[in-house]
Amino acid sequence: MSCHKKAYITTPIYYVNDIAHIGHAYTTIIADTLAKYSRMIGLDTFFLTGTDEHGQKIEHSAQARGKSPQEYADEISASFKNLWDEFGISYDKFIRTTDEEHKIGVQKAFLKMQERGDVYKDVYKGNYCIACETFFPKSQLINEEFCPECGRATTLVEEESYFFRLSKYQEKLLAWYQEHPECILPKSKKNEVIRFVEGGLEDLSITRTSFDWGVKLPKELNDPKHVMYVWLDALMNYLTALGYGTDEKNIDFWPARVHLIGKDILRFHAIYWPAFLMSLDLPLPKHIAAHGWWTRNGEKMSKSKGNVVNPKEVADAYGLDNFRYFMLREVPFGGDGDFSQKALIDRINSDLGNDLGNLLNRLIGMSTKYFEGRIECARVSDFYQAELAEVDESIAKLEPYLFEMQLHRYLEELWRPLSVANKAIDRYQPWALMKEGKEEEVMALNGLIATILAKVAIMLSPIMPKTAPKIASALGFEINHASWSSLIVSKEPLSSFVIAPIPPLFPRIEEELLAHHEPDSATPQNKQESAAEKNSQSAPEPEDQIALIGIDQFFQSSLKVGTIVSAEEVPKSAKLLLLQVDIGEESPRQVVAGIKEWYSAASLIGTQVCVVANLKPAKLMGMKSEGMLLAAKDSGGLSLIRPEAPKTNGTKIG
Ligand code: MSP
């Protein structure tokens, strides 16, 4: 880290078609943590967030509410900004793509790309998903019509368009991934991107003519019917926020230290964005870090499903810092996480209450009882050298974890010093030492605990920015660059002080504090969406970090052996087969499976398969699907998982 004096940290800019949910809060809280840490260690930091306000999706949302797109964007953009302000998010700039400077910057970039010979005019014919604001070639569509990402119907577009020569950058992009092993984090996600690019890049349509809620083309082109493709407009925010094309006073922050994003928008950031930057002859970002999805009961959150978790409600009920800690600790970066109040309560009561809060209480208790609150740290190393060494070893591991986005490991490691402190009390039994008259040893032990709490508070402060200073103030110091330098870098002892008793930081929570919102019943559109997600055996998502589950959770799924008794092709669908599978019930189960690319219908009849028998029924392309076949897919294709020897239909697997 030390070699880069500047740290430019960004979140995605959020679409203004919906208010913030915990997914948005998650990205923003991670970025805020990085920014706060960077500032504490003395980096010149610029933290950017904002809203993405153009495009057909926003235009439609505004129309549906009888508002002008600008009016609507103003409203939702303000709701994001207010929430981040309330959450104490330390952004240096909140950009809106409707800002005049941004539009000017985007137009300048367009001209520059054109000067470089990377832009040409042609006709675009293909399918467009408005919800994903993405063009898809026919070959990628489900049933030649539905979006492979969200399952919604796409629209056929045929219009004049300017194109960006993305194909020209294929090799350069591959070289970049190769030469910069950490350009995409977690590293495993990079392979997905490489495979996609190796599959061949088509030139990208970068303007639209069928609507006008977007950045106009530069006047020089005299082509007023075109507006910029929303992703070109949006990605450029990372540069225009620094003044690109207008007042370039912050442009030295480029290149970004890290673009934090969700895994759903990795391709835009890892392929289009570096290609645009290459065209603009600008350096590429150091890291593009893609996190996983927060789900609710295993389902994607969306307003229409009614299962969205409101971050403000959670923070109000459980405390903002506790919520921040939970989000970063609970899920390995890159993996998906399911939000539950129970898990949040466990983290608060156990990690925060027992391990951290009680330690501070014990210290307050002991020092008040034995020494009227006085704590001296000068002689800690005379008695507790081994403990100090163990603590410093853990603290030294933290920064790399943070900048590699391994935030859960950062917090896990940060809890080791707390365990050293708690164990030391149990082991040395200060009450017994006092009886033996070993006051110096007890004072040093208190000093050890105070030192540990002080170091932990400093390193925890970017994640828990309100709570950590309370711990520091009880210990008679302030968290800032100077205390970080002396206590963490130089490992100097904490100065003597009189401890200030404070109320318990993490009162125990006995029951869930938020009422349960049961998801609304799914609309047909949602059913199709979730069916596409659940049944998309043709596109399994490789997970980097697999969450551990208990055996009881595993047995919640009912896996059974079955025989395919009939199989037919779904008309017009390139991927789907309609199967009837006998799993020992009265009548066979109907399963719609995306396996046509690998199996012909005829070849499946009479063969045995493994079926997930207790999935909620879903509809896929209008057909009910009452189960899922187990299959494994790698670069060699997809194989169904079958019993090694024939088994009676309905035999339980597990
Ligand atoms: N406007 C684009 C980003 C343009 S950046 C140049 C966009 N906006 S979004 O509002 O739809 O999503 C913003 C971010 O929120 C994405 O990184 C997305 O992954 C994240 N999340 C949205 N829902 C999420 C969850 N349920 N869980 C975790 N993050 C998710 O995409």
Side-chain angles (χ1 to χ4, degrees):
M1 189 68 214
S2 46
C3 52
H4 310 287
K5 289 273 180 276
K6 287 191 189 291
Y8 180 31
I9 295 158
T10 71
T11 72
I13 44 172
Y14 302 107
Y15 282 132
V16 291
N17 65 323
D18 211 348
I19 57 165
H21 59 61
I22 58 164
H24 304 128
Y26 181 55
T27 327
T28 310
I29 288 169
I30 296 175
D32 185 54
T33 296
L34 294 177
K36 287 187 159 94
Y37 186 88
S38 301
R39 291 190 194 102
M40 179 171 79
I41 67 170
L43 300 181
D44 194 7
T45 304
F46 194 98
F47 169 20
L48 172 71
T49 189
T51 42
D52 188 355
E53 307 186 7
H54 289 127
Q56 226 168 344
K57 174 159 65 176
I58 311 296
E59 195 181 63
H60 284 181
S61 297
Q63 271 162 6
R65 287 163 183 80
K67 298 190 172 160
S68 74
Q70 186 65 59
E71 206 183 344
Y72 178 61
D74 287 348
E75 216 173 87
I76 308 279
S77 176
S79 80
F80 272 95
K81 191 161 184 284
N82 290 341
L83 181 67
W84 301 152
D85 289 341
E86 214 174 299
F87 274 13
I89 299 298
S90 60
Y91 58 82
D92 293 287
K93 182 172 172 76
F94 185 99
I95 192 168
R96 300 185 54 186
T97 53
T98 48
D99 291 341
E100 221 37 59
E101 298 78 19
H102 169 74
K103 294 190 220 167
I104 296 171
V106 177
Q107 288 168 336
K108 292 220 170 133
F110 193 97
L111 281 180
K112 175 102 199 254
M113 288 175 182
Q114 205 190 30
E115 280 163 23
R116 296 267 296 188
D118 286 345
V119 175
Y120 63 93
K121 201 163 159 180
D122 202 341
V123 172
Y124 180 81
K125 186 164 181 247
N127 289 66
Y128 192 77
C129 174
I130 297 176
C132 298
E133 295 284 16
T134 309
F135 293 103
F136 290 104
K138 266 254 168 340
S139 59
Q140 283 182 25
L141 298 176
I142 300 174
N143 211 9
E144 302 197 330
E145 183 185 351
F146 298 95
C147 171
E149 297 288 338
C150 73
R152 291 181 175 87
T154 55
T155 4
L156 188 64
V157 172
E158 182 165 4
E159 58 188 41
E160 184 185 274
S161 175
Y162 287 82
F163 284 79
F164 173 75
R165 287 190 203 282
L166 187 61
S167 55
K168 171 175 153 185
Y169 290 97
Q170 178 162 337
E171 295 311 317
K172 278 194 180 171
L173 284 168
L174 289 171
W176 180 55
Y177 308 138
Q178 202 64 47
E179 286 156 21
H180 298 83
E182 297 193 336
C183 60
I184 297 168
L185 294 173
K187 287 183 209 164
S188 52
K189 288 253 182 265
K190 202 171 76 170
N191 298 331
E192 250 172 79
V193 174
I194 292 177
R195 274 199 302 275
F196 187 86
V197 175
E198 281 174 346
L201 292 177
E202 288 178 19
D203 289 347
L204 181 69
S205 162
I206 49 167
T207 68
R208 305 287 313 272
T209 56
S210 47
F211 66 99
D212 64 4
W213 181 236
V215 179
K216 304 268 176 281
L217 288 204
K219 283 205 185 60
E220 291 84 338
L221 296 179
N222 199 17
D223 214 347
K225 63 177 186 294
H226 289 260
V227 294
M228 308 265 186
Y229 171 42
V230 64
W231 270 102
L232 169 61
D233 166 1
L235 288 163
M236 276 301 298
N237 94 90
Y238 299 131
L239 280 175
T240 59
L242 300 179
Y244 177 89
T246 51
D247 176 359
E248 302 207 334
K249 67 173 186 300
N250 282 321
I251 206 78
D252 286 350
F253 278 98
W254 190 258
R257 167 88 206 184
V258 55
H259 291 310
L260 267 156
I261 57 166
K263 64 180 184 182
D264 54 320
I265 54 175
L266 180 60
R267 276 185 204 169
F268 299 99
H269 284 80
I271 301 173
Y272 298 175
W273 181 227
F276 293 157
L277 288 165
M278 287 173 185
S279 176
L280 296 173
D281 210 9
L282 288 169
L284 305 189
K286 294 258 173 313
H287 304 295
I288 296 161
H291 63 69
W293 278 79
W294 282 93
T295 54
R296 193 75 202 273
N297 302 323
E299 287 205 349
K300 201 164 161 176
M301 267 180 279
S302 78
K303 200 162 65 174
S304 45
K305 277 187 203 151
N307 61 354
V308 172
V309 181
N310 180 328
K312 184 164 155 42
E313 276 177 21
V314 180
D316 286 349
Y318 291 97
L320 175 62
D321 274 15
N322 298 346
F323 175 49
R324 287 174 67 110
Y325 171 81
F326 168 74
M327 294 209 104
L328 269 49
R329 177 65 185 82
E330 188 69 7
V331 183
F333 186 88
D336 292 340
D338 206 47
F339 180 84
S340 89
Q341 293 192 65
K342 184 180 175 308
L344 172 55
I345 293 170
D346 283 352
R347 289 279 175 206
I348 296 174
N349 288 344
S350 166
D351 302 8
L352 296 174
N354 291 348
D355 302 343
L356 175 59
N358 279 352
L359 183 64
L360 180 62
N361 291 345
R362 288 172 101 176
L363 179 65
I364 293 173
M366 287 191 299
S367 52
T368 315
K369 185 166 170 195
Y370 303 136
F371 307 109
E372 292 167 337
R374 197 167 38 82
I375 295 183
E376 281 162 19
C377 303
R379 297 201 53 204
V380 174
S381 55
D382 293 351
F383 296 97
Y384 305 105
Q385 189 51 49
E387 283 81 1
L388 275 184
E390 196 177 339
V391 167
D392 287 334
E393 192 192 313
S394 281
I395 300 280
K397 287 187 188 157
L398 297 175
E399 190 171 302
Y401 282 146
L402 189 95
F403 285 111
E404 284 161 19
M405 298 304 134
Q406 303 213 45
L407 293 146
H408 67 292
R409 297 200 64 181
Y410 179 101
L411 285 169
E412 209 173 48
E413 193 66 47
L414 185 55
W415 251 241
R416 259 183 60 198
L418 296 178
S419 139
V420 169
N422 279 311
K423 278 192 196 137
I425 301 178
D426 297 344
R427 176 168 169 205
Y428 298 111
Q429 305 196 335
W431 50 92
L433 291 176
M434 283 305 280
K435 277 196 191 136
E436 292 164 24
K438 294 181 174 163
E439 285 200 10
E440 279 185 347
E441 273 176 55
V442 177
M443 179 57 95
L445 183 64
N446 285 353
L448 171 73
I449 297 161
T451 306
I452 290 175
L453 279 168
K455 291 187 191 222
V456 169
I458 293 173
M459 299 306 273
L460 188 59
S461 65
I463 294 136
M464 303 189 74
K466 291 202 170 88
T467 309
K470 286 186 196 161
I471 300 174
S473 102
L475 302 178
F477 77 103
E478 267 182 38
I479 296 175
N480 50 34
H481 180 66
S483 56
W484 171 80
S485 298
S486 76
L487 285 158
I488 303 292
V489 183
S490 315
K491 304 188 184 83
E492 283 164 22
L494 196 59
S495 315
S496 302
F497 64 98
V498 174
I499 200 158
I502 55 168
L505 292 172
F506 310 103
R508 210 178 155 73
I509 300 174
E510 299 294 351
E511 57 189 30
E512 296 187 357
L513 303 174
L514 288 173
H516 275 277
H517 301 291
E518 279 315 313
D520 300 341
S521 55
T523 59
Q525 172 63 69
N526 297 327
K527 280 187 188 159
Q528 190 168 61
E529 185 180 322
S530 57
E533 280 158 19
K534 286 196 187 115
N535 290 3
S536 63
Q537 296 181 341
S538 54
E541 180 83 34
E543 285 311 334
D544 323 282
Q545 318 265 6
I546 296 173
L548 294 179
I549 58 167
I551 189 78
D552 50 338
Q553 271 170 293
F554 174 75
F555 281 119
Q556 281 173 12
S557 31
S558 162
L559 303 178
K560 290 188 175 172
V561 175
T563 300
I564 300 178
V565 290
S566 98
E568 52 187 285
E569 296 190 358
V570 174
K572 286 200 211 141
S573 167
K575 300 200 169 173
L576 299 180
L577 292 180
L578 180 63
L579 311 172
Q580 304 296 331
V581 189
D582 179 352
I583 57 165
E585 296 171 335
E586 253 174 43
S587 51
R589 291 276 187 108
Q590 174 161 301
V591 175
V592 182
I595 55 175
K596 189 173 154 189
E597 275 174 78
W598 298 279
Y599 292 93
S600 69
S603 72
L604 288 172
I605 297 171
T607 65
Q608 285 209 306
V609 285
C610 298
V611 182
V612 186
N614 62 340
L615 276 183
K616 279 187 214 153
K619 267 199 176 164
L620 195 59
M621 307 303 127
M623 290 169 303
K624 193 167 184 190
S625 185
E626 305 167 301
M628 192 178 88
L629 307 189
L630 296 189
K633 191 180 152 202
D634 62 10
S635 55
L638 176 141
S639 299
L640 288 167
I641 309 291
R642 305 166 189 277
E644 194 192 9
K647 289 279 153 232
T648 313
N649 290 335
T651 305
K652 203 167 167 283
I653 304 171

Short mmCIF file of all heavy atoms in Angstrom, two decimals, residues 479-506:
data_model
loop_
_atom_site.label_atom_id
_atom_site.label_comp_id
_atom_site.label_asym_id
_atom_site.label_seq_id
_atom_site.Cartn_x
_atom_site.Cartn_y
_atom_site.Cartn_z
N ILE A 479 -8.67 8.31 18.36
CA ILE A 479 -8.21 7.56 17.18
C ILE A 479 -7.96 8.55 16.05
O ILE A 479 -8.85 9.29 15.65
CB ILE A 479 -9.26 6.51 16.76
CG1 ILE A 479 -9.42 5.48 17.88
CG2 ILE A 479 -8.83 5.83 15.45
CD1 ILE A 479 -10.51 4.47 17.66
N ASN A 480 -6.74 8.55 15.57
CA ASN A 480 -6.38 9.40 14.43
C ASN A 480 -5.06 8.90 13.85
O ASN A 480 -4.54 7.87 14.31
CB ASN A 480 -6.29 10.88 14.84
CG ASN A 480 -5.42 11.05 16.08
OD1 ASN A 480 -4.46 10.31 16.25
ND2 ASN A 480 -5.77 12.00 16.93
N HIS A 481 -4.54 9.63 12.90
CA HIS A 481 -3.31 9.16 12.25
C HIS A 481 -2.17 9.04 13.26
O HIS A 481 -1.39 8.08 13.22
CB HIS A 481 -2.92 10.14 11.12
CG HIS A 481 -1.68 9.72 10.41
ND1 HIS A 481 -1.60 8.57 9.64
CD2 HIS A 481 -0.45 10.28 10.37
CE1 HIS A 481 -0.38 8.44 9.15
NE2 HIS A 481 0.35 9.47 9.58
N ALA A 482 -2.12 10.00 14.21
CA ALA A 482 -1.01 9.99 15.17
C ALA A 482 -1.09 8.77 16.08
O ALA A 482 -0.08 8.08 16.31
CB ALA A 482 -1.05 11.28 15.99
N SER A 483 -2.29 8.46 16.59
CA SER A 483 -2.36 7.31 17.50
C SER A 483 -2.16 6.01 16.71
O SER A 483 -1.59 5.04 17.22
CB SER A 483 -3.67 7.31 18.28
OG SER A 483 -4.77 7.35 17.42
N TRP A 484 -2.62 5.98 15.46
CA TRP A 484 -2.35 4.81 14.63
C TRP A 484 -0.84 4.63 14.47
O TRP A 484 -0.31 3.52 14.62
CB TRP A 484 -3.03 4.98 13.26
CG TRP A 484 -2.63 3.93 12.26
CD1 TRP A 484 -3.12 2.66 12.16
CD2 TRP A 484 -1.64 4.06 11.23
NE1 TRP A 484 -2.50 1.98 11.13
CE2 TRP A 484 -1.60 2.83 10.55
CE3 TRP A 484 -0.81 5.10 10.81
CZ2 TRP A 484 -0.73 2.60 9.47
CZ3 TRP A 484 0.05 4.88 9.75
CH2 TRP A 484 0.09 3.65 9.09
N SER A 485 -0.14 5.73 14.19
CA SER A 485 1.31 5.64 13.98
C SER A 485 2.01 5.14 15.25
O SER A 485 2.86 4.26 15.18
CB SER A 485 1.93 7.01 13.65
OG SER A 485 1.39 7.48 12.47
N SER A 486 1.62 5.71 16.39
CA SER A 486 2.39 5.34 17.58
C SER A 486 2.01 3.94 18.09
O SER A 486 2.87 3.14 18.39
CB SER A 486 2.26 6.41 18.65
OG SER A 486 1.00 6.31 19.25
N LEU A 487 0.71 3.64 18.13
CA LEU A 487 0.33 2.35 18.74
C LEU A 487 0.44 1.17 17.78
O LEU A 487 0.77 0.07 18.18
CB LEU A 487 -1.10 2.45 19.27
CG LEU A 487 -1.24 3.26 20.56
CD1 LEU A 487 -2.65 3.78 20.75
CD2 LEU A 487 -0.83 2.40 21.75
N ILE A 488 0.15 1.41 16.50
CA ILE A 488 0.14 0.29 15.55
C ILE A 488 1.49 0.18 14.84
O ILE A 488 2.08 -0.89 14.77
CB ILE A 488 -1.00 0.44 14.51
CG1 ILE A 488 -2.35 0.55 15.20
CG2 ILE A 488 -0.97 -0.67 13.47
CD1 ILE A 488 -2.83 -0.70 15.91
N VAL A 489 1.98 1.31 14.31
CA VAL A 489 3.21 1.22 13.51
C VAL A 489 4.43 1.12 14.45
O VAL A 489 5.23 0.19 14.32
CB VAL A 489 3.36 2.43 12.56
CG1 VAL A 489 4.60 2.29 11.68
CG2 VAL A 489 2.11 2.59 11.71
N SER A 490 4.55 2.07 15.39
CA SER A 490 5.75 2.06 16.25
C SER A 490 5.59 1.16 17.47
O SER A 490 6.53 0.97 18.22
CB SER A 490 6.07 3.48 16.72
OG SER A 490 5.98 4.38 15.66
N LYS A 491 4.42 0.64 17.66
CA LYS A 491 4.13 -0.27 18.80
C LYS A 491 4.54 0.36 20.13
O LYS A 491 5.08 -0.30 21.02
CB LYS A 491 4.82 -1.61 18.60
CG LYS A 491 4.47 -2.29 17.29
CD LYS A 491 5.03 -3.70 17.25
CE LYS A 491 4.79 -4.37 15.93
NZ LYS A 491 5.75 -4.06 14.90
N GLU A 492 4.32 1.65 20.24
CA GLU A 492 4.64 2.32 21.51
C GLU A 492 3.56 1.99 22.53
O GLU A 492 2.40 1.76 22.18
CB GLU A 492 4.66 3.85 21.31
CG GLU A 492 5.93 4.31 20.62
CD GLU A 492 5.80 5.72 20.07
OE1 GLU A 492 4.94 6.48 20.56
OE2 GLU A 492 6.56 6.03 19.13
N PRO A 493 3.96 1.98 23.83
CA PRO A 493 2.92 1.68 24.83
C PRO A 493 1.94 2.83 24.98
O PRO A 493 2.28 3.99 24.71
CB PRO A 493 3.71 1.45 26.12
CG PRO A 493 5.07 1.98 25.87
CD PRO A 493 5.29 2.14 24.40
N LEU A 494 0.75 2.48 25.38
CA LEU A 494 -0.28 3.49 25.65
C LEU A 494 0.16 4.31 26.88
O LEU A 494 0.69 3.74 27.83
CB LEU A 494 -1.56 2.71 25.97
CG LEU A 494 -2.92 3.35 25.96
CD1 LEU A 494 -3.24 3.95 24.59
CD2 LEU A 494 -3.97 2.28 26.29
N SER A 495 -0.07 5.61 26.85
CA SER A 495 0.31 6.43 28.02
C SER A 495 -0.58 6.07 29.21
O SER A 495 -1.71 5.61 29.02
CB SER A 495 0.10 7.92 27.72
OG SER A 495 0.59 8.24 26.47
N SER A 496 -0.07 6.35 30.40
CA SER A 496 -0.87 6.06 31.62
C SER A 496 -2.14 6.91 31.61
O SER A 496 -2.12 8.03 31.10
CB SER A 496 -0.06 6.44 32.86
OG SER A 496 1.13 5.72 32.83
N PHE A 497 -3.19 6.38 32.17
CA PHE A 497 -4.45 7.13 32.18
C PHE A 497 -5.35 6.59 33.28
O PHE A 497 -5.08 5.52 33.85
CB PHE A 497 -5.15 7.02 30.81
CG PHE A 497 -5.57 5.63 30.46
CD1 PHE A 497 -6.87 5.19 30.68
CD2 PHE A 497 -4.65 4.73 29.92
CE1 PHE A 497 -7.25 3.89 30.37
CE2 PHE A 497 -5.02 3.42 29.63
CZ PHE A 497 -6.31 3.01 29.84
N VAL A 498 -6.41 7.32 33.53
CA VAL A 498 -7.43 6.81 34.47
C VAL A 498 -8.64 6.43 33.63
O VAL A 498 -9.14 7.24 32.85
CB VAL A 498 -7.80 7.88 35.52
CG1 VAL A 498 -8.96 7.40 36.39
CG2 VAL A 498 -6.59 8.19 36.38
N ILE A 499 -9.05 5.19 33.74
CA ILE A 499 -10.11 4.70 32.85
C ILE A 499 -11.44 5.40 33.17
O ILE A 499 -11.74 5.68 34.33
CB ILE A 499 -10.24 3.16 32.96
CG1 ILE A 499 -10.94 2.60 31.72
CG2 ILE A 499 -10.95 2.72 34.22
CD1 ILE A 499 -10.66 1.14 31.48
N ALA A 500 -12.17 5.69 32.10
CA ALA A 500 -13.46 6.37 32.28
C ALA A 500 -14.56 5.33 32.10
O ALA A 500 -14.75 4.83 30.99
CB ALA A 500 -13.60 7.47 31.23
N PRO A 501 -15.26 4.97 33.16
CA PRO A 501 -16.32 3.96 33.00
C PRO A 501 -17.37 4.42 31.99
O PRO A 501 -17.74 5.59 31.98
CB PRO A 501 -16.92 3.85 34.41
CG PRO A 501 -15.89 4.41 35.32
CD PRO A 501 -15.15 5.46 34.54
N ILE A 502 -17.77 3.52 31.11
CA ILE A 502 -18.82 3.87 30.13
C ILE A 502 -19.90 2.78 30.17
O ILE A 502 -19.60 1.65 30.57
CB ILE A 502 -18.27 4.03 28.69
CG1 ILE A 502 -17.50 2.76 28.24
CG2 ILE A 502 -17.40 5.25 28.54
CD1 ILE A 502 -17.20 2.74 26.76
N PRO A 503 -21.12 3.12 29.80
CA PRO A 503 -22.16 2.09 29.82
C PRO A 503 -21.82 0.97 28.83
O PRO A 503 -21.07 1.21 27.87
CB PRO A 503 -23.42 2.85 29.36
CG PRO A 503 -23.02 4.26 29.12
CD PRO A 503 -21.57 4.40 29.29
N PRO A 504 -22.36 -0.23 29.05
CA PRO A 504 -22.06 -1.35 28.14
C PRO A 504 -22.31 -0.96 26.68
O PRO A 504 -23.33 -0.33 26.37
CB PRO A 504 -23.01 -2.45 28.58
CG PRO A 504 -23.38 -2.11 29.98
CD PRO A 504 -23.28 -0.61 30.10
N LEU A 505 -21.36 -1.31 25.83
CA LEU A 505 -21.47 -0.91 24.41
C LEU A 505 -22.43 -1.78 23.62
O LEU A 505 -23.00 -1.34 22.62
CB LEU A 505 -20.09 -1.00 23.75
CG LEU A 505 -19.06 0.02 24.24
CD1 LEU A 505 -17.69 -0.31 23.67
CD2 LEU A 505 -19.49 1.43 23.82
N PHE A 506 -22.57 -3.04 24.06
CA PHE A 506 -23.39 -3.96 23.26
C PHE A 506 -24.39 -4.69 24.16
O PHE A 506 -24.20 -5.88 24.46
CB PHE A 506 -22.48 -4.97 22.55
CG PHE A 506 -21.35 -4.33 21.80
CD1 PHE A 506 -20.06 -4.35 22.33
CD2 PHE A 506 -21.55 -3.70 20.59
CE1 PHE A 506 -19.00 -3.77 21.66
CE2 PHE A 506 -20.50 -3.11 19.91
CZ PHE A 506 -19.22 -3.13 20.44
#
